Amino acid sequence: MKLFTGICCLLLMGAGAKAQEAADDAVQVYVVDSVEVESSAVNNIGPDQIAMITIARGRKTVEKFGERAANGVFYLETKPFARKRYNRLFSNLSPAYAAALQKSGSDSSFRYIMGDSVLTTNLESQLAALELKDIAAVQVITDPAQRKQYGLKEEETGVMIKTK
């Protein structure tokens, strides 16, 4: 158990995390990027590649994974996987976002704004934590005054995420 707790603490450093309190017994089900893996696979993922960690417990986890999930399921989402997931979500919510993403090929030149703040650190972690039910709108910023307000450079695409 101490080894499991130590690994979790190391993984959580510098990474966005959303976790429930772990059980006293070790978790036996590990899921990385929606694929069930052996616990040793988690050791091969560096902390800088983690977008989100969740430890889920309860009846639904046992129904899905069986009794071996009685102590919880350790979910880990890497930054590349999170980026693909939220790009797909935002594209479905905003045709303008989908068009900008297709034009640029990736969101590496996108500046995300949420709550009137430009996201600058742990970008994938913050965006991975968003769920469809929490998003009111995703808009590509085209207004010159707004672009100036958020300090967008000519080559950057500004994306405003409005939450409920």
Side-chain angles (χ1 to χ4, degrees), residues 9-160:
C9 289
L10 287 173
L11 292 174
L12 292 175
M13 286 185 195
K18 183 171 85 173
Q20 298 175 357
E21 189 172 316
D24 287 338
D25 297 321
V27 172
Q28 295 181 14
V29 180
Y30 296 82
V31 178
V32 175
D33 293 341
S34 297
V35 177
E36 189 173 341
V37 298
E38 296 294 322
S39 62
S40 60
V42 174
N43 296 332
N44 297 327
I45 301 170
D48 60 330
Q49 287 299 306
I50 298 171
M52 185 166 45
I53 295 174
T54 304
I55 298 175
R57 295 179 10 183
R59 182 180 51 82
K60 289 185 180 183
T61 59
V62 173
E63 286 175 7
K64 184 173 181 176
F65 293 99
E67 284 303 315
R68 60 198 176 88
N71 294 324
V73 176
F74 182 94
Y75 290 96
L76 186 144
E77 189 168 299
T78 63
K79 288 180 178 182
F81 185 85
R83 177 169 269 157
K84 287 177 189 174
R85 188 173 57 77
Y86 68 71
N87 278 332
R88 187 173 37 253
L89 173 63
F90 297 165
S91 290
N92 289 336
L93 293 172
S94 169
Y97 181 91
L101 186 60
Q102 185 175 8
K103 181 179 177 183
S104 66
S106 77
D107 72 341
S108 61
S109 65
F110 288 19
R111 298 277 310 259
Y112 292 95
I113 297 105
M114 209 166 33
D116 283 334
S117 296
V118 177
L119 302 181
T120 57
T121 59
N122 292 325
L123 176 73
E124 292 91 351
S125 299
Q126 292 181 58
L127 296 176
L130 290 173
E131 296 182 25
L132 177 60
K133 66 181 176 70
D134 300 324
I135 301 172
V138 175
Q139 300 170 326
V140 174
I141 298 173
T142 56
D143 178 49
Q146 272 191 316
R147 291 185 60 78
K148 184 176 180 180
Q149 175 185 350
Y150 294 111
L152 297 173
K153 298 175 184 167
E154 175 103 16
E155 66 278 1
E156 293 178 320
T157 300
V159 179
M160 177 73 69

